[in-house]
Amino acid sequence: QVQLVESGGGLVQAGDSLSLSCVASGRIFRIISMGWYRQVPGMQRELVASINAGGAIDYADSAKGRFTISRDNAANAVYLQMNSLKPDDTAVFYCNAYIYESPTQWDAYWGQGTQVTVSS
């Protein structure tokens, strides 16, 4: 069993910054990648940013220049620093990770989600 626990969401004003954290725990053999997705009601969950074990990073166009993803491999943690937030960033943010529980078994895992609300 693997668990992802997120923290750091909240209510901020446009232009403010917010930092999200996610820690993976449980039966972890190796983490392939970790990332952040977001979802608004009625819409599909979309990638915000991801980072793999080698440090390669992928950002959604909407996140480029404003958001920074980082990872602490020793702590099995991933972080998302969000600057210059806009009301359009309002969503539930989900931590995601692709994790090997054994040398041959891997799966995708999700956190419970954390609400980010940006007021204008």
Side-chain angles (χ1 to χ4, degrees), residues 1 17 21 25 36-37 41 58 63 66 72 81 88 92-93 113-114:
Q1 290 285 348
S17 298
S21 300
S25 63
W36 293 92
Y37 285 69
D58 186 26
R66 298 188 301 127
D72 184 339
Q81 176 65 39
D88 284 349
V92 178
F93 281 69
T114 185

Side-chain angles (χ1 to χ4, degrees), residues 2-39:
V2 173
Q3 298 83 37
L4 302 181
V5 178
E6 303 138 339
S7 60
L11 171 63
V12 297
Q13 294 187 330
D16 285 352
S17 298
L18 202 60
S19 180
L20 304 182
S21 300
C22 172
V23 178
S25 63
R27 188 179 177 185
I28 299 172
F29 176 75
R30 180 169 64 92
I31 297 179
I32 303 167
S33 68
M34 300 186 79
W36 293 92
Y37 285 69
R38 65 184 179 188
Q39 188 172 26

Side-chain angles (χ1 to χ4, degrees), residues 30-34 51-54 71 97-100 106-107:
R30 180 169 64 92
I31 297 179
I32 303 167
S33 68
M34 300 186 79
I51 181 168
N52 69 16
R71 180 172 164 177
Y98 289 88
I99 296 174
Y100 273 95
W106 67 272
D107 208 342

Side-chain angles (χ1 to χ4, degrees), residues 31-91:
I31 297 179
I32 303 167
S33 68
M34 300 186 79
W36 293 92
Y37 285 69
R38 65 184 179 188
Q39 188 172 26
V40 297
M43 301 293 286
Q44 286 191 336
R45 195 171 294 187
E46 62 177 11
L47 174 71
V48 177
S50 66
I51 181 168
N52 69 16
I57 292 173
D58 186 26
Y59 288 109
D61 287 343
S62 59
K64 290 177 181 177
R66 298 188 301 127
F67 296 178
T68 302
I69 190 170
S70 61
R71 180 172 164 177
D72 184 339
N73 291 331
N76 293 331
V78 65
Y79 310 97
L80 186 68
Q81 176 65 39
M82 301 185 290
N83 299 327
S84 303
L85 283 161
K86 307 173 183 178
D88 284 349
D89 294 318
T90 296

